[in-house]
Amino acid sequence: VIDTNPLKRLNEEIFAYATRKQQEIDELKKLENFRKEFLANVSHELKTPIFAAQGFIHTLIDGAIDDKSVRDKFLDKAAKSLDGLDALVKDLLTLSQMETGDIKMHYEKFDIGHLTSDIFEQLEEKAEAKRVQLKFDKKMSVPVWAYADRHRITQVMTNLIDNAIKYGREEGKVLVSFDSDKEHLIVSVKDDGPGIEPEHLKRIFERFYRIEKSRSKEQGGTGLGLAIVKHIIEAHRSKVSVTSKMGKGTTFSFKLEKGDNK
Ligand code: ADP
């Protein structure tokens, strides 16, 4: 009797090997598509404000500059487009530095309650324009010491609070709360806006992902804010979580190392 087992085993091994290789190829293809899509997105996003600014400036050169009210309006629009471009390039740079690991975290002890008050002040005008209240949820004992990268956490909090104002409702409320468990500080930013549907919720941390494209665009974002937030929090060896209820609002939260004993 011929022992066919070795042959069978060899066959199985070859099959397993081929399957593994195919998976690797699929993975590489996916990455390549992702890269292409990203590049296309970046080009598109860069082109939009450049074309807009170009359009306004050329119209001015072609004579609109002689009419004072038109001139002021067009200059303002051109400046806004360039501000948007500036924000986009800065966000792209941050993202790419985070992804290549070029950004080192500078841990220090700081009062995140104080930091949040400063952000409230900076965003006050924007909130007032929409009659949105910026508040701390429940009384907390101040200071709220965190041990993290202060500059990066400022970026995170600014992005989350800014989004809560932008995508929340008129006359709404944005609540920031600080809780703690044994080792961590738990930070949450909550709004009482329209909420995010589950199908979108799982994608909002992707680069350039926006819900209702036109409305999000109108708000002047880059579509990179939450991707940056995610990176920064992960660089702190933590995770961002989000919960949302349609018609009720959205809450983003994350944990940070406590700073009390540092
Ligand atoms: P953007 O620059 O467009 O604000 P983000 O990455 O910060 O980009 O957010 C991605 C998208 O997630 C937004 O365009 C918006 O559609 C949605 N989003 C973010 N925060 C909220 C929120 N608090 N409530 C509802 N939708 C939100």
Side-chain angles (χ1 to χ4, degrees):
V1 193
I2 303 169
D3 180 6
T4 56
N5 273 345
L7 267 181
K8 211 169 135 201
R9 269 205 305 278
L10 184 64
N11 196 21
E12 277 165 9
E13 264 169 38
I14 291 172
F15 183 73
Y17 178 79
T19 311
R20 266 203 318 276
K21 283 291 154 204
Q22 187 57 48
Q23 278 166 353
E24 279 173 29
I25 292 167
D26 290 348
E27 199 56 38
L28 282 174
K29 272 189 188 154
K30 223 163 81 187
L31 272 177
E32 177 62 9
N33 278 338
F34 192 70
R35 200 188 59 78
K36 276 186 191 154
E37 202 180 305
F38 179 64
L39 205 59
N41 271 331
V42 172
S43 316
H44 175 79
E45 297 292 329
L46 289 173
K47 257 197 227 157
T48 311
I50 291 173
F51 276 179
Q54 258 179 339
F56 294 123
I57 290 166
H58 281 297
T59 315
L60 286 168
I61 292 171
D62 292 345
I65 199 153
D66 298 331
D67 180 331
K68 184 178 174 335
S69 71
V70 174
R71 183 191 68 197
D72 290 351
K73 201 168 98 192
F74 278 29
L75 280 175
D76 186 52
K77 284 183 185 259
K80 288 225 168 80
S81 297
L82 293 176
D83 287 346
L85 186 64
D86 182 49
L88 177 62
V89 171
K90 280 193 182 128
D91 279 358
L92 276 171
L93 203 63
T94 307
L95 254 189
S96 83
Q97 284 170 335
M98 305 262 354
E99 285 179 4
T100 52
D102 280 352
I103 287 189
K104 289 220 165 43
M105 292 288 127
H106 298 287
Y107 282 79
E108 61 179 309
K109 175 179 174 171
F110 62 92
D111 177 3
I112 192 170
H114 189 262
L115 180 144
T116 307
S117 297
D118 285 347
I119 297 173
F120 279 176
E121 245 171 61
Q122 271 168 32
L123 295 174
E124 196 173 65
E125 227 176 285
K126 202 167 185 174
E128 267 170 15
K130 232 176 137 176
R131 290 182 304 282
V132 170
Q133 297 179 53
L134 305 177
K135 294 196 149 190
F136 287 106
D137 198 11
K138 61 184 122 145
K139 273 260 169 281
M140 36 152 205
S141 53
V142 281
V144 186
W145 294 119
Y147 187 67
D149 185 317
R150 177 212 284 265
H151 170 62
R152 296 289 156 201
I153 295 303
T154 305
Q155 256 184 312
V156 166
M157 294 303 281
T158 305
N159 261 315
L160 293 179
I161 298 168
D162 186 55
N163 276 353
I165 301 170
K166 279 196 299 190
Y167 305 113
R169 63 180 181 87
E170 294 257 344
E171 297 184 27
K173 225 186 248 168
V174 176
L175 291 176
V176 173
S177 69
F178 303 108
D179 286 305
S180 66
D181 60 19
K182 257 196 199 135
E183 294 151 50
H184 299 104
L185 194 66
I186 305 162
V187 184
S188 311
V189 179
K190 181 177 169 202
D191 66 63
D192 53 1
I196 304 171
E197 282 168 4
E199 63 187 286
H200 296 304
L201 201 58
K202 54 182 182 223
R203 300 198 55 192
I204 50 170
F205 291 100
E206 290 173 21
R207 297 180 291 198
F208 296 120
Y209 191 82
R210 286 163 170 159
I211 309 159
E212 290 172 58
K213 292 207 178 232
S214 55
R215 208 176 74 84
S216 294
K217 275 239 172 76
E218 228 171 72
Q219 304 287 345
T222 62
L224 296 174
L226 288 178
I228 292 173
V229 164
K230 182 169 179 264
H231 264 293
I232 293 175
I233 297 302
E234 284 176 356
H236 283 82
R237 294 182 297 280
S238 183
K239 266 199 281 194
V240 193
S241 63
V242 54
T243 53
S244 191
K245 258 207 184 121
M246 296 310 288
K248 292 271 185 215
T250 307
T251 306
F252 288 87
S253 38
F254 57 89
K255 287 183 182 180
L256 287 179
E257 204 175 325
K258 278 188 196 171
D260 308 68
N261 302 319
K262 294 285 174 187

